[in-house]
Amino acid sequence: MRHRLTLFLVFGAVLTLLGEWNLKNGGEGFAAGLNRWWLEFCIANSRDKIADPAVTLVTIDDEYKPAIGESLSQADFAAVFGFVGKFSPKAVAFEPNPVFDESLAINQTTLELLKEATLPLPRVTLGAVAENGQPPAGPTEEPKFPVLTKVEGDTANVTPLTRVVAAPNPQLLANGLPAFTGIELDGTTDRSLPLIARQGDKIVASFIVTAVASHAGVPLDQVTVKLPAVGSGVIEIGEKIRVPIDGRGRMKLYEQSGVGPGFYPVVSAFQLALTGDEDEAIRKLLADVEKDFETLRQNLVVIGRDRTEDRRATLVGYDKPLSRAELLTRAIATIQSGRYVDWWPFWARLLSVAVIALLAAAAFRRSRGKAIAWSLLGAFLWFGIAMVAFKSTLAWAPPFAPLALFALMFIIGAVLPGAKADSPAKA
């Protein structure tokens, strides 16, 4: 028994460290496939809590070339609104804060191209970048974000903002509601996004909350914010959408939730520009994205810049940096689907390893056959407990270390002889 347990502890420690090393390196190493399979299995069995997202990202990427000059003009953005408008979307959110090259003739005219392009759309959520720094220097820097009136709890810790550093184009305000996409100089170092902010003595809604409420058909004066004295609070958008937040009004990025490439439809503005073309080659090119086009009719449509220079954020599950538009769309998809999923904290993972070690110590006191049976039964029980824990908490256990430990227990139990009988040896 002693040799069996010693071998298990030595090799088990190595396997556990390998599992933790894999997690610390983003969980995308040798166990990535196993992790994804187990997470999706848990989610598939928790459909009472987790749904599919209802958001489509329209990207203005490197493929989309300016119609005039080297930079995007009013005509380009107006064209994108026109492409989206053909599908009669239910709700639209526009992330960029474009600055136009005034040397271009199209930007020197008095034509209100952006206004005319957005008027046929439902009221558009317009992105703005705020700052927690100096007070406004003029009316254009004065925040005019939607105020949330149903707020419970202490607002003192909510992330403050003081002024707008990148405002929506004035033409868009004729059919748009500005909301902040981010807060610069907010002093935050953790990986989270502000869903609300404090402007003086008022609480204002972010781009994410405003867009989600718009698509859900919930007026902002019916959005409820419950801030905690300690622990986590919640933002309630209608009867079905409940968003967990901390006392600062921020939501975690939930990098271990499985929200990654392909989780929601992404359509490029370049592809939209080709719709309606009768060329057979182009029609074949668009055939693969036809289903994604149709989602523009019912989903929340987020229009955002996704050119090379816009991609700066890095997240687990993505093999390339993300633009602000992708980051915001990912958060919206998380909210709509209810995938507030994280993995077990370190102490819980360590506790599970300790329990498996105790089980191994007891199993190795038994005969070879019973040690094998205990390893199989233990693995079955562990995964059952992990499944129940996920359904109640939406926290999942990375399975590599437990699975490897039970496999090690099985191998040692099968190869090395155990006790000849379950009763104590005679003196």
Side-chain angles (χ1 to χ4, degrees), residues 270-307:
F270 171 75
Q271 292 171 327
L272 283 177
L274 298 177
T275 56
D277 197 303
E278 296 301 323
D279 185 272
E280 188 65 25
I282 292 178
R283 292 177 65 180
K284 288 181 179 180
L285 178 67
L286 297 179
D288 292 339
V289 293
E290 199 65 41
K291 289 184 179 179
D292 291 341
F293 285 170
E294 288 303 310
T295 65
L296 297 171
R297 302 186 187 279
Q298 293 298 324
N299 282 3
L300 166 62
V301 179
V302 177
I303 304 172
R305 287 179 60 100
D306 188 37
R307 301 169 92 82

PDB file of all heavy atoms in Angstrom, residues 270-307:
ATOM      1  N   PHE A 270     -17.852  44.920 -45.826  1.00  0.00           N
ATOM      2  CA  PHE A 270     -17.468  44.598 -47.204  1.00  0.00           C
ATOM      3  C   PHE A 270     -18.416  43.556 -47.789  1.00  0.00           C
ATOM      4  O   PHE A 270     -18.853  43.675 -48.947  1.00  0.00           O
ATOM      5  CB  PHE A 270     -16.032  44.081 -47.220  1.00  0.00           C
ATOM      6  CG  PHE A 270     -15.589  43.524 -48.545  1.00  0.00           C
ATOM      7  CD1 PHE A 270     -15.283  44.375 -49.595  1.00  0.00           C
ATOM      8  CD2 PHE A 270     -15.480  42.152 -48.741  1.00  0.00           C
ATOM      9  CE1 PHE A 270     -14.884  43.869 -50.832  1.00  0.00           C
ATOM     10  CE2 PHE A 270     -15.083  41.644 -49.958  1.00  0.00           C
ATOM     11  CZ  PHE A 270     -14.776  42.505 -51.006  1.00  0.00           C
ATOM     12  N   GLN A 271     -18.776  42.535 -46.999  1.00  0.00           N
ATOM     13  CA  GLN A 271     -19.715  41.527 -47.473  1.00  0.00           C
ATOM     14  C   GLN A 271     -21.094  42.134 -47.701  1.00  0.00           C
ATOM     15  O   GLN A 271     -21.763  41.824 -48.695  1.00  0.00           O
ATOM     16  CB  GLN A 271     -19.806  40.381 -46.462  1.00  0.00           C
ATOM     17  CG  GLN A 271     -18.540  39.543 -46.355  1.00  0.00           C
ATOM     18  CD  GLN A 271     -18.594  38.569 -45.194  1.00  0.00           C
ATOM     19  OE1 GLN A 271     -19.194  38.845 -44.153  1.00  0.00           O
ATOM     20  NE2 GLN A 271     -17.950  37.425 -45.370  1.00  0.00           N
ATOM     21  N   LEU A 272     -21.516  43.017 -46.794  1.00  0.00           N
ATOM     22  CA  LEU A 272     -22.825  43.656 -46.954  1.00  0.00           C
ATOM     23  C   LEU A 272     -22.871  44.503 -48.213  1.00  0.00           C
ATOM     24  O   LEU A 272     -23.910  44.606 -48.876  1.00  0.00           O
ATOM     25  CB  LEU A 272     -23.138  44.520 -45.738  1.00  0.00           C
ATOM     26  CG  LEU A 272     -23.584  43.789 -44.469  1.00  0.00           C
ATOM     27  CD1 LEU A 272     -23.787  44.784 -43.337  1.00  0.00           C
ATOM     28  CD2 LEU A 272     -24.861  43.010 -44.719  1.00  0.00           C
ATOM     29  N   ALA A 273     -21.750  45.125 -48.555  1.00  0.00           N
ATOM     30  CA  ALA A 273     -21.700  45.970 -49.752  1.00  0.00           C
ATOM     31  C   ALA A 273     -21.913  45.164 -51.029  1.00  0.00           C
ATOM     32  O   ALA A 273     -22.316  45.716 -52.063  1.00  0.00           O
ATOM     33  CB  ALA A 273     -20.362  46.706 -49.817  1.00  0.00           C
ATOM     34  N   LEU A 274     -21.659  43.862 -50.950  1.00  0.00           N
ATOM     35  CA  LEU A 274     -21.790  43.008 -52.134  1.00  0.00           C
ATOM     36  C   LEU A 274     -23.189  42.434 -52.297  1.00  0.00           C
ATOM     37  O   LEU A 274     -23.493  41.829 -53.323  1.00  0.00           O
ATOM     38  CB  LEU A 274     -20.786  41.844 -52.054  1.00  0.00           C
ATOM     39  CG  LEU A 274     -19.301  42.229 -52.019  1.00  0.00           C
ATOM     40  CD1 LEU A 274     -18.448  40.978 -51.877  1.00  0.00           C
ATOM     41  CD2 LEU A 274     -18.909  43.009 -53.270  1.00  0.00           C
ATOM     42  N   THR A 275     -24.046  42.601 -51.279  1.00  0.00           N
ATOM     43  CA  THR A 275     -25.391  42.039 -51.378  1.00  0.00           C
ATOM     44  C   THR A 275     -26.147  42.699 -52.527  1.00  0.00           C
ATOM     45  O   THR A 275     -26.053  43.904 -52.756  1.00  0.00           O
ATOM     46  CB  THR A 275     -26.170  42.243 -50.072  1.00  0.00           C
ATOM     47  OG1 THR A 275     -26.183  43.637 -49.754  1.00  0.00           O
ATOM     48  CG2 THR A 275     -25.544  41.471 -48.942  1.00  0.00           C
ATOM     49  N   GLY A 276     -26.902  41.897 -53.240  1.00  0.00           N
ATOM     50  CA  GLY A 276     -27.653  42.406 -54.380  1.00  0.00           C
ATOM     51  C   GLY A 276     -26.903  42.339 -55.685  1.00  0.00           C
ATOM     52  O   GLY A 276     -27.489  42.552 -56.752  1.00  0.00           O
ATOM     53  N   ASP A 277     -25.608  42.034 -55.616  1.00  0.00           N
ATOM     54  CA  ASP A 277     -24.825  41.911 -56.849  1.00  0.00           C
ATOM     55  C   ASP A 277     -25.222  40.623 -57.564  1.00  0.00           C
ATOM     56  O   ASP A 277     -25.328  39.558 -56.957  1.00  0.00           O
ATOM     57  CB  ASP A 277     -23.330  41.894 -56.510  1.00  0.00           C
ATOM     58  CG  ASP A 277     -22.456  42.174 -57.727  1.00  0.00           C
ATOM     59  OD1 ASP A 277     -22.582  41.428 -58.716  1.00  0.00           O
ATOM     60  OD2 ASP A 277     -21.660  43.126 -57.665  1.00  0.00           O
ATOM     61  N   GLU A 278     -25.449  40.711 -58.859  1.00  0.00           N
ATOM     62  CA  GLU A 278     -25.919  39.563 -59.629  1.00  0.00           C
ATOM     63  C   GLU A 278     -24.791  38.694 -60.158  1.00  0.00           C
ATOM     64  O   GLU A 278     -25.043  37.655 -60.768  1.00  0.00           O
ATOM     65  CB  GLU A 278     -26.773  40.050 -60.810  1.00  0.00           C
ATOM     66  CG  GLU A 278     -28.052  40.763 -60.398  1.00  0.00           C
ATOM     67  CD  GLU A 278     -28.951  39.860 -59.557  1.00  0.00           C
ATOM     68  OE1 GLU A 278     -29.015  38.644 -59.841  1.00  0.00           O
ATOM     69  OE2 GLU A 278     -29.582  40.360 -58.618  1.00  0.00           O
ATOM     70  N   ASP A 279     -23.553  39.095 -59.950  1.00  0.00           N
ATOM     71  CA  ASP A 279     -22.423  38.303 -60.427  1.00  0.00           C
ATOM     72  C   ASP A 279     -22.425  36.939 -59.742  1.00  0.00           C
ATOM     73  O   ASP A 279     -22.525  36.841 -58.516  1.00  0.00           O
ATOM     74  CB  ASP A 279     -21.116  39.044 -60.145  1.00  0.00           C
ATOM     75  CG  ASP A 279     -19.920  38.324 -60.738  1.00  0.00           C
ATOM     76  OD1 ASP A 279     -19.379  37.452 -60.028  1.00  0.00           O
ATOM     77  OD2 ASP A 279     -19.534  38.619 -61.880  1.00  0.00           O
ATOM     78  N   GLU A 280     -22.312  35.880 -60.530  1.00  0.00           N
ATOM     79  CA  GLU A 280     -22.404  34.519 -59.992  1.00  0.00           C
ATOM     80  C   GLU A 280     -21.290  34.232 -59.001  1.00  0.00           C
ATOM     81  O   GLU A 280     -21.516  33.572 -57.970  1.00  0.00           O
ATOM     82  CB  GLU A 280     -22.354  33.517 -61.145  1.00  0.00           C
ATOM     83  CG  GLU A 280     -22.637  32.072 -60.714  1.00  0.00           C
ATOM     84  CD  GLU A 280     -24.059  31.902 -60.210  1.00  0.00           C
ATOM     85  OE1 GLU A 280     -24.947  32.684 -60.608  1.00  0.00           O
ATOM     86  OE2 GLU A 280     -24.278  30.975 -59.408  1.00  0.00           O
ATOM     87  N   ALA A 281     -20.080  34.719 -59.264  1.00  0.00           N
ATOM     88  CA  ALA A 281     -18.952  34.474 -58.366  1.00  0.00           C
ATOM     89  C   ALA A 281     -19.185  35.132 -57.009  1.00  0.00           C
ATOM     90  O   ALA A 281     -18.886  34.547 -55.964  1.00  0.00           O
ATOM     91  CB  ALA A 281     -17.655  34.989 -58.989  1.00  0.00           C
ATOM     92  N   ILE A 282     -19.749  36.337 -57.021  1.00  0.00           N
ATOM     93  CA  ILE A 282     -20.017  37.038 -55.767  1.00  0.00           C
ATOM     94  C   ILE A 282     -21.151  36.362 -55.014  1.00  0.00           C
ATOM     95  O   ILE A 282     -21.101  36.223 -53.785  1.00  0.00           O
ATOM     96  CB  ILE A 282     -20.343  38.521 -56.044  1.00  0.00           C
ATOM     97  CG1 ILE A 282     -19.091  39.229 -56.559  1.00  0.00           C
ATOM     98  CG2 ILE A 282     -20.871  39.200 -54.791  1.00  0.00           C
ATOM     99  CD1 ILE A 282     -19.299  40.680 -56.907  1.00  0.00           C
ATOM    100  N   ARG A 283     -22.144  35.898 -55.721  1.00  0.00           N
ATOM    101  CA  ARG A 283     -23.257  35.210 -55.059  1.00  0.00           C
ATOM    102  C   ARG A 283     -22.774  33.927 -54.374  1.00  0.00           C
ATOM    103  O   ARG A 283     -23.227  33.582 -53.283  1.00  0.00           O
ATOM    104  CB  ARG A 283     -24.352  34.897 -56.079  1.00  0.00           C
ATOM    105  CG  ARG A 283     -25.035  36.160 -56.607  1.00  0.00           C
ATOM    106  CD  ARG A 283     -26.073  35.835 -57.663  1.00  0.00           C
ATOM    107  NE  ARG A 283     -27.186  35.055 -57.100  1.00  0.00           N
ATOM    108  CZ  ARG A 283     -28.229  34.651 -57.818  1.00  0.00           C
ATOM    109  NH1 ARG A 283     -28.288  34.934 -59.119  1.00  0.00           N
ATOM    110  NH2 ARG A 283     -29.197  33.969 -57.265  1.00  0.00           N
ATOM    111  N   LYS A 284     -21.860  33.219 -55.004  1.00  0.00           N
ATOM    112  CA  LYS A 284     -21.294  32.024 -54.375  1.00  0.00           C
ATOM    113  C   LYS A 284     -20.455  32.402 -53.156  1.00  0.00           C
ATOM    114  O   LYS A 284     -20.455  31.699 -52.149  1.00  0.00           O
ATOM    115  CB  LYS A 284     -20.432  31.267 -55.388  1.00  0.00           C
ATOM    116  CG  LYS A 284     -21.228  30.557 -56.471  1.00  0.00           C
ATOM    117  CD  LYS A 284     -20.308  29.798 -57.425  1.00  0.00           C
ATOM    118  CE  LYS A 284     -21.113  29.065 -58.489  1.00  0.00           C
ATOM    119  NZ  LYS A 284     -20.222  28.318 -59.430  1.00  0.00           N
ATOM    120  N   LEU A 285     -19.745  33.527 -53.262  1.00  0.00           N
ATOM    121  CA  LEU A 285     -18.934  33.995 -52.149  1.00  0.00           C
ATOM    122  C   LEU A 285     -19.783  34.309 -50.924  1.00  0.00           C
ATOM    123  O   LEU A 285     -19.371  34.056 -49.784  1.00  0.00           O
ATOM    124  CB  LEU A 285     -18.148  35.240 -52.580  1.00  0.00           C
ATOM    125  CG  LEU A 285     -17.258  35.911 -51.529  1.00  0.00           C
ATOM    126  CD1 LEU A 285     -16.092  34.998 -51.167  1.00  0.00           C
ATOM    127  CD2 LEU A 285     -16.746  37.255 -52.040  1.00  0.00           C
ATOM    128  N   LEU A 286     -20.981  34.844 -51.141  1.00  0.00           N
ATOM    129  CA  LEU A 286     -21.857  35.250 -50.048  1.00  0.00           C
ATOM    130  C   LEU A 286     -22.754  34.121 -49.543  1.00  0.00           C
ATOM    131  O   LEU A 286     -23.427  34.275 -48.528  1.00  0.00           O
ATOM    132  CB  LEU A 286     -22.741  36.421 -50.484  1.00  0.00           C
ATOM    133  CG  LEU A 286     -22.017  37.722 -50.866  1.00  0.00           C
ATOM    134  CD1 LEU A 286     -23.029  38.774 -51.295  1.00  0.00           C
ATOM    135  CD2 LEU A 286     -21.182  38.231 -49.703  1.00  0.00           C
ATOM    136  N   ALA A 287     -22.752  32.991 -50.248  1.00  0.00           N
ATOM    137  CA  ALA A 287     -23.651  31.897 -49.866  1.00  0.00           C
ATOM    138  C   ALA A 287     -23.384  31.405 -48.457  1.00  0.00           C
ATOM    139  O   ALA A 287     -24.313  31.067 -47.714  1.00  0.00           O
ATOM    140  CB  ALA A 287     -23.521  30.747 -50.869  1.00  0.00           C
ATOM    141  N   ASP A 288     -22.108  31.382 -48.057  1.00  0.00           N
ATOM    142  CA  ASP A 288     -21.748  30.858 -46.745  1.00  0.00           C
ATOM    143  C   ASP A 288     -22.177  31.771 -45.602  1.00  0.00           C
ATOM    144  O   ASP A 288     -22.257  31.328 -44.446  1.00  0.00           O
ATOM    145  CB  ASP A 288     -20.232  30.625 -46.668  1.00  0.00           C
ATOM    146  CG  ASP A 288     -19.774  29.494 -47.572  1.00  0.00           C
ATOM    147  OD1 ASP A 288     -20.612  28.658 -47.929  1.00  0.00           O
ATOM    148  OD2 ASP A 288     -18.570  29.456 -47.922  1.00  0.00           O
ATOM    149  N   VAL A 289     -22.419  33.055 -45.897  1.00  0.00           N
ATOM    150  CA  VAL A 289     -22.780  33.994 -44.831  1.00  0.00           C
ATOM    151  C   VAL A 289     -24.241  34.432 -44.936  1.00  0.00           C
ATOM    152  O   VAL A 289     -24.654  35.360 -44.237  1.00  0.00           O
ATOM    153  CB  VAL A 289     -21.849  35.226 -44.851  1.00  0.00           C
ATOM    154  CG1 VAL A 289     -20.443  34.845 -44.474  1.00  0.00           C
ATOM    155  CG2 VAL A 289     -21.872  35.908 -46.217  1.00  0.00           C
ATOM    156  N   GLU A 290     -25.001  33.769 -45.792  1.00  0.00           N
ATOM    157  CA  GLU A 290     -26.400  34.151 -45.974  1.00  0.00           C
ATOM    158  C   GLU A 290     -27.187  34.028 -44.672  1.00  0.00           C
ATOM    159  O   GLU A 290     -28.028  34.883 -44.348  1.00  0.00           O
ATOM    160  CB  GLU A 290     -27.039  33.279 -47.052  1.00  0.00           C
ATOM    161  CG  GLU A 290     -28.324  33.860 -47.641  1.00  0.00           C
ATOM    162  CD  GLU A 290     -28.072  35.153 -48.404  1.00  0.00           C
ATOM    163  OE1 GLU A 290     -27.078  35.253 -49.139  1.00  0.00           O
ATOM    164  OE2 GLU A 290     -28.894  36.070 -48.237  1.00  0.00           O
ATOM    165  N   LYS A 291     -26.924  32.976 -43.897  1.00  0.00           N
ATOM    166  CA  LYS A 291     -27.624  32.804 -42.622  1.00  0.00           C
ATOM    167  C   LYS A 291     -27.270  33.921 -41.651  1.00  0.00           C
ATOM    168  O   LYS A 291     -28.126  34.386 -40.880  1.00  0.00           O
ATOM    169  CB  LYS A 291     -27.283  31.439 -42.015  1.00  0.00           C
ATOM    170  CG  LYS A 291     -27.903  30.257 -42.746  1.00  0.00           C
ATOM    171  CD  LYS A 291     -27.596  28.950 -42.028  1.00  0.00           C
ATOM    172  CE  LYS A 291     -28.240  27.783 -42.737  1.00  0.00           C
ATOM    173  NZ  LYS A 291     -27.940  26.481 -42.060  1.00  0.00           N
ATOM    174  N   ASP A 292     -26.004  34.354 -41.667  1.00  0.00           N
ATOM    175  CA  ASP A 292     -25.604  35.455 -40.800  1.00  0.00           C
ATOM    176  C   ASP A 292     -26.299  36.749 -41.209  1.00  0.00           C
ATOM    177  O   ASP A 292     -26.665  37.558 -40.351  1.00  0.00           O
ATOM    178  CB  ASP A 292     -24.086  35.639 -40.855  1.00  0.00           C
ATOM    179  CG  ASP A 292     -23.330  34.486 -40.211  1.00  0.00           C
ATOM    180  OD1 ASP A 292     -23.951  33.741 -39.427  1.00  0.00           O
ATOM    181  OD2 ASP A 292     -22.131  34.319 -40.502  1.00  0.00           O
ATOM    182  N   PHE A 293     -26.486  36.953 -42.500  1.00  0.00           N
ATOM    183  CA  PHE A 293     -27.207  38.135 -42.966  1.00  0.00           C
ATOM    184  C   PHE A 293     -28.622  38.162 -42.383  1.00  0.00           C
ATOM    185  O   PHE A 293     -29.119  39.209 -41.963  1.00  0.00           O
ATOM    186  CB  PHE A 293     -27.300  38.154 -44.499  1.00  0.00           C
ATOM    187  CG  PHE A 293     -26.015  38.536 -45.189  1.00  0.00           C
ATOM    188  CD1 PHE A 293     -25.881  38.393 -46.560  1.00  0.00           C
ATOM    189  CD2 PHE A 293     -24.941  39.047 -44.477  1.00  0.00           C
ATOM    190  CE1 PHE A 293     -24.709  38.751 -47.211  1.00  0.00           C
ATOM    191  CE2 PHE A 293     -23.762  39.403 -45.117  1.00  0.00           C
ATOM    192  CZ  PHE A 293     -23.639  39.255 -46.482  1.00  0.00           C
ATOM    193  N   GLU A 294     -29.272  37.002 -42.364  1.00  0.00           N
ATOM    194  CA  GLU A 294     -30.657  36.946 -41.893  1.00  0.00           C
ATOM    195  C   GLU A 294     -30.774  37.286 -40.412  1.00  0.00           C
ATOM    196  O   GLU A 294     -31.831  37.750 -39.970  1.00  0.00           O
ATOM    197  CB  GLU A 294     -31.250  35.559 -42.174  1.00  0.00           C
ATOM    198  CG  GLU A 294     -31.519  35.309 -43.650  1.00  0.00           C
ATOM    199  CD  GLU A 294     -32.443  36.361 -44.252  1.00  0.00           C
ATOM    200  OE1 GLU A 294     -33.505  36.620 -43.664  1.00  0.00           O
ATOM    201  OE2 GLU A 294     -32.073  36.927 -45.300  1.00  0.00           O
ATOM    202  N   THR A 295     -29.709  37.073 -39.643  1.00  0.00           N
ATOM    203  CA  THR A 295     -29.774  37.413 -38.213  1.00  0.00           C
ATOM    204  C   THR A 295     -29.878  38.915 -37.989  1.00  0.00           C
ATOM    205  O   THR A 295     -30.269  39.356 -36.903  1.00  0.00           O
ATOM    206  CB  THR A 295     -28.531  36.891 -37.467  1.00  0.00           C
ATOM    207  OG1 THR A 295     -27.348  37.564 -37.942  1.00  0.00           O
ATOM    208  CG2 THR A 295     -28.360  35.392 -37.665  1.00  0.00           C
ATOM    209  N   LEU A 296     -29.536  39.705 -39.009  1.00  0.00           N
ATOM    210  CA  LEU A 296     -29.633  41.162 -38.871  1.00  0.00           C
ATOM    211  C   LEU A 296     -31.074  41.618 -38.692  1.00  0.00           C
ATOM    212  O   LEU A 296     -31.322  42.725 -38.200  1.00  0.00           O
ATOM    213  CB  LEU A 296     -29.034  41.842 -40.104  1.00  0.00           C
ATOM    214  CG  LEU A 296     -27.538  41.619 -40.350  1.00  0.00           C
ATOM    215  CD1 LEU A 296     -27.138  42.174 -41.714  1.00  0.00           C
ATOM    216  CD2 LEU A 296     -26.709  42.263 -39.256  1.00  0.00           C
ATOM    217  N   ARG A 297     -32.025  40.778 -39.041  1.00  0.00           N
ATOM    218  CA  ARG A 297     -33.438  41.163 -38.943  1.00  0.00           C
ATOM    219  C   ARG A 297     -33.945  41.101 -37.500  1.00  0.00           C
ATOM    220  O   ARG A 297     -34.803  41.913 -37.111  1.00  0.00           O
ATOM    221  CB  ARG A 297     -34.300  40.257 -39.830  1.00  0.00           C
ATOM    222  CG  ARG A 297     -33.910  40.279 -41.294  1.00  0.00           C
ATOM    223  CD  ARG A 297     -34.877  39.484 -42.147  1.00  0.00           C
ATOM    224  NE  ARG A 297     -34.402  39.366 -43.514  1.00  0.00           N
ATOM    225  CZ  ARG A 297     -34.537  40.314 -44.446  1.00  0.00           C
ATOM    226  NH1 ARG A 297     -35.133  41.434 -44.141  1.00  0.00           N
ATOM    227  NH2 ARG A 297     -34.070  40.134 -45.673  1.00  0.00           N
ATOM    228  N   GLN A 298     -33.443  40.166 -36.712  1.00  0.00           N
ATOM    229  CA  GLN A 298     -33.972  39.969 -35.368  1.00  0.00           C
ATOM    230  C   GLN A 298     -32.962  40.293 -34.258  1.00  0.00           C
ATOM    231  O   GLN A 298     -33.349  40.655 -33.159  1.00  0.00           O
ATOM    232  CB  GLN A 298     -34.457  38.520 -35.203  1.00  0.00           C
ATOM    233  CG  GLN A 298     -35.659  38.167 -36.057  1.00  0.00           C
ATOM    234  CD  GLN A 298     -36.875  39.010 -35.702  1.00  0.00           C
ATOM    235  OE1 GLN A 298     -37.105  39.336 -34.545  1.00  0.00           O
ATOM    236  NE2 GLN A 298     -37.663  39.367 -36.705  1.00  0.00           N
ATOM    237  N   ASN A 299     -31.690  40.156 -34.558  1.00  0.00           N
ATOM    238  CA  ASN A 299     -30.670  40.377 -33.522  1.00  0.00           C
ATOM    239  C   ASN A 299     -30.419  41.862 -33.282  1.00  0.00           C
ATOM    240  O   ASN A 299     -30.756  42.715 -34.103  1.00  0.00           O
ATOM    241  CB  ASN A 299     -29.355  39.717 -33.937  1.00  0.00           C
ATOM    242  CG  ASN A 299     -29.370  38.225 -33.726  1.00  0.00           C
ATOM    243  OD1 ASN A 299     -30.371  37.652 -33.316  1.00  0.00           O
ATOM    244  ND2 ASN A 299     -28.263  37.572 -34.016  1.00  0.00           N
ATOM    245  N   LEU A 300     -29.807  42.139 -32.147  1.00  0.00           N
ATOM    246  CA  LEU A 300     -29.216  43.456 -31.918  1.00  0.00           C
ATOM    247  C   LEU A 300     -28.014  43.572 -32.846  1.00  0.00           C
ATOM    248  O   LEU A 300     -27.132  42.710 -32.844  1.00  0.00           O
ATOM    249  CB  LEU A 300     -28.769  43.580 -30.455  1.00  0.00           C
ATOM    250  CG  LEU A 300     -27.842  44.744 -30.108  1.00  0.00           C
ATOM    251  CD1 LEU A 300     -28.504  46.086 -30.378  1.00  0.00           C
ATOM    252  CD2 LEU A 300     -27.388  44.645 -28.654  1.00  0.00           C
ATOM    253  N   VAL A 301     -27.970  44.618 -33.663  1.00  0.00           N
ATOM    254  CA  VAL A 301     -26.887  44.808 -34.622  1.00  0.00           C
ATOM    255  C   VAL A 301     -25.902  45.822 -34.054  1.00  0.00           C
ATOM    256  O   VAL A 301     -26.259  46.985 -33.835  1.00  0.00           O
ATOM    257  CB  VAL A 301     -27.420  45.289 -35.985  1.00  0.00           C
ATOM    258  CG1 VAL A 301     -26.262  45.495 -36.959  1.00  0.00           C
ATOM    259  CG2 VAL A 301     -28.428  44.287 -36.546  1.00  0.00           C
ATOM    260  N   VAL A 302     -24.688  45.384 -33.802  1.00  0.00           N
ATOM    261  CA  VAL A 302     -23.624  46.273 -33.339  1.00  0.00           C
ATOM    262  C   VAL A 302     -22.713  46.570 -34.526  1.00  0.00           C
ATOM    263  O   VAL A 302     -22.164  45.651 -35.137  1.00  0.00           O
ATOM    264  CB  VAL A 302     -22.809  45.637 -32.202  1.00  0.00           C
ATOM    265  CG1 VAL A 302     -21.659  46.568 -31.784  1.00  0.00           C
ATOM    266  CG2 VAL A 302     -23.699  45.351 -30.999  1.00  0.00           C
ATOM    267  N   ILE A 303     -22.580  47.838 -34.873  1.00  0.00           N
ATOM    268  CA  ILE A 303     -21.696  48.263 -35.958  1.00  0.00           C
ATOM    269  C   ILE A 303     -20.428  48.825 -35.328  1.00  0.00           C
ATOM    270  O   ILE A 303     -20.496  49.725 -34.484  1.00  0.00           O
ATOM    271  CB  ILE A 303     -22.361  49.335 -36.842  1.00  0.00           C
ATOM    272  CG1 ILE A 303     -23.692  48.814 -37.397  1.00  0.00           C
ATOM    273  CG2 ILE A 303     -21.431  49.762 -37.961  1.00  0.00           C
ATOM    274  CD1 ILE A 303     -24.505  49.878 -38.115  1.00  0.00           C
ATOM    275  N   GLY A 304     -19.275  48.278 -35.710  1.00  0.00           N
ATOM    276  CA  GLY A 304     -18.049  48.728 -35.064  1.00  0.00           C
ATOM    277  C   GLY A 304     -16.836  48.673 -35.966  1.00  0.00           C
ATOM    278  O   GLY A 304     -16.793  47.932 -36.946  1.00  0.00           O
ATOM    279  N   ARG A 305     -15.842  49.466 -35.623  1.00  0.00           N
ATOM    280  CA  ARG A 305     -14.561  49.439 -36.339  1.00  0.00           C
ATOM    281  C   ARG A 305     -13.767  48.220 -35.880  1.00  0.00           C
ATOM    282  O   ARG A 305     -13.664  47.944 -34.689  1.00  0.00           O
ATOM    283  CB  ARG A 305     -13.762  50.712 -36.053  1.00  0.00           C
ATOM    284  CG  ARG A 305     -14.303  51.960 -36.736  1.00  0.00           C
ATOM    285  CD  ARG A 305     -13.456  53.163 -36.373  1.00  0.00           C
ATOM    286  NE  ARG A 305     -12.066  52.970 -36.803  1.00  0.00           N
ATOM    287  CZ  ARG A 305     -11.545  53.483 -37.903  1.00  0.00           C
ATOM    288  NH1 ARG A 305     -12.302  54.231 -38.701  1.00  0.00           N
ATOM    289  NH2 ARG A 305     -10.281  53.277 -38.231  1.00  0.00           N
ATOM    290  N   ASP A 306     -13.196  47.521 -36.854  1.00  0.00           N
ATOM    291  CA  ASP A 306     -12.409  46.326 -36.544  1.00  0.00           C
ATOM    292  C   ASP A 306     -11.213  46.249 -37.477  1.00  0.00           C
ATOM    293  O   ASP A 306     -10.870  45.190 -37.980  1.00  0.00           O
ATOM    294  CB  ASP A 306     -13.292  45.076 -36.671  1.00  0.00           C
ATOM    295  CG  ASP A 306     -12.580  43.830 -36.173  1.00  0.00           C
ATOM    296  OD1 ASP A 306     -11.835  43.927 -35.190  1.00  0.00           O
ATOM    297  OD2 ASP A 306     -12.759  42.754 -36.793  1.00  0.00           O
ATOM    298  N   ARG A 307     -10.585  47.408 -37.710  1.00  0.00           N
ATOM    299  CA  ARG A 307      -9.394  47.434 -38.550  1.00  0.00           C
ATOM    300  C   ARG A 307      -8.182  47.072 -37.698  1.00  0.00           C
ATOM    301  O   ARG A 307      -8.252  47.011 -36.472  1.00  0.00           O
ATOM    302  CB  ARG A 307      -9.252  48.806 -39.198  1.00  0.00           C
ATOM    303  CG  ARG A 307     -10.480  49.161 -40.048  1.00  0.00           C
ATOM    304  CD  ARG A 307     -10.499  50.604 -40.484  1.00  0.00           C
ATOM    305  NE  ARG A 307      -9.866  50.794 -41.777  1.00  0.00           N
ATOM    306  CZ  ARG A 307     -10.462  50.593 -42.942  1.00  0.00           C
ATOM    307  NH1 ARG A 307     -11.706  50.159 -42.981  1.00  0.00           N
ATOM    308  NH2 ARG A 307      -9.824  50.815 -44.078  1.00  0.00           N
TER     309      ARG A 307
END
